[in-house]
Amino acid sequence: MATKIRLQRGGRKGYAFYSIVIADARAPRDGRFTEKIGTYNPNTNPATVDLNFERALYWVETGAQPTDTVRNILSKEGVYMMKHLKGGVKKGAFDEAACQQKFEAWKQSKEQKFNAVRDNEAKSKKEAAAKELEAEKKINEAIAKKVADKKAAAAAAKAEAEAAAAAESTEAPAEA
């Protein structure tokens, strides 16, 4: 039986959500599967992967062939790195403790890179929000100035009209 590690589509139209499954190569995409080993949600930024690492490693070591997308997911999660390191243990290049130490170092460096990218993205969002706020403040100041000028002009016109009315009322009794 040719076993594949592939994605099984779920979710609604325009919002795909995938399960990572072990299935016979002859089974349909969303059909029968042997085991579900995780989920993949490409709708988030970055994409969310929930994977049973031990089972994925087991299936990769037993010869299950992943599709291209699943191979990329497994590689990013470190399944292929662990398979490579376990191959070194089998050959006698290093022991199991060194294998775990190398894997943890790889995982930690990957986590640092991920955090750096996430921090840079958050910083750029914060800067963009600050720029937007500053631009909005300038626009509001300009609007407030126009309103103040308009109110001052209206007050001046009203005062001028009152002064003219007062002047007419003082002139009107003198003529009578």
Side-chain angles (χ1 to χ4, degrees):
M1 175 172 97
T3 307
K4 293 279 242 183
I5 305 174
R6 63 182 179 202
L7 298 176
Q8 185 177 46
R9 192 182 194 285
R12 66 176 190 268
K13 179 179 173 183
Y15 193 85
F17 184 85
Y18 299 95
S19 296
I20 303 170
V21 297
I22 310 300
D24 184 359
R26 298 168 293 186
R29 178 191 74 180
D30 298 336
R32 217 173 79 208
F33 61 90
T34 307
E35 182 180 353
K36 179 179 174 184
I37 61 171
T39 59
Y40 169 63
N41 184 1
N43 302 307
T44 60
N45 188 13
T48 307
V49 176
D50 180 30
L51 184 68
N52 184 339
F53 188 85
E54 290 80 25
R55 293 305 293 169
L57 182 61
Y58 166 79
W59 282 105
V60 167
E61 287 178 338
T62 56
Q65 293 298 311
T67 60
D68 293 338
T69 306
V70 174
R71 184 181 306 111
N72 289 336
I73 292 169
L74 295 177
S75 178
K76 287 177 185 163
E77 291 295 312
V79 172
Y80 279 102
M81 180 66 164
M82 183 56 92
K83 180 185 177 194
H84 173 73
L85 291 172
K86 283 194 172 190
V89 170
K90 286 179 186 175
K91 291 179 182 177
F94 45 84
D95 62 343
E96 187 68 34
C99 172
Q100 284 298 324
Q101 186 179 11
K102 287 183 179 187
F103 183 73
E104 290 302 321
W106 175 83
K107 198 172 186 180
Q108 194 172 35
S109 70
K110 186 175 184 287
E111 186 69 29
Q112 286 175 345
K113 289 177 186 176
F114 176 75
N115 287 339
V117 168
R118 190 176 62 209
D119 291 343
N120 286 340
E121 188 173 311
K123 185 178 177 183
S124 66
K125 281 184 180 180
K126 197 178 239 186
E127 288 173 357
K131 285 181 183 178
E132 270 187 43
L133 184 62
E134 191 64 36
E136 190 173 331
K137 283 181 182 179
K138 287 181 181 178
I139 291 171
N140 286 345
E141 287 173 3
I143 291 172
K145 185 179 179 191
K146 283 182 183 179
V147 168
D149 290 345
K150 196 173 186 181
K151 284 184 178 179
K158 186 176 180 183
E160 192 176 300
E162 287 177 1
E168 265 185 35
S169 65
T170 55
E171 289 178 13
E175 290 179 10

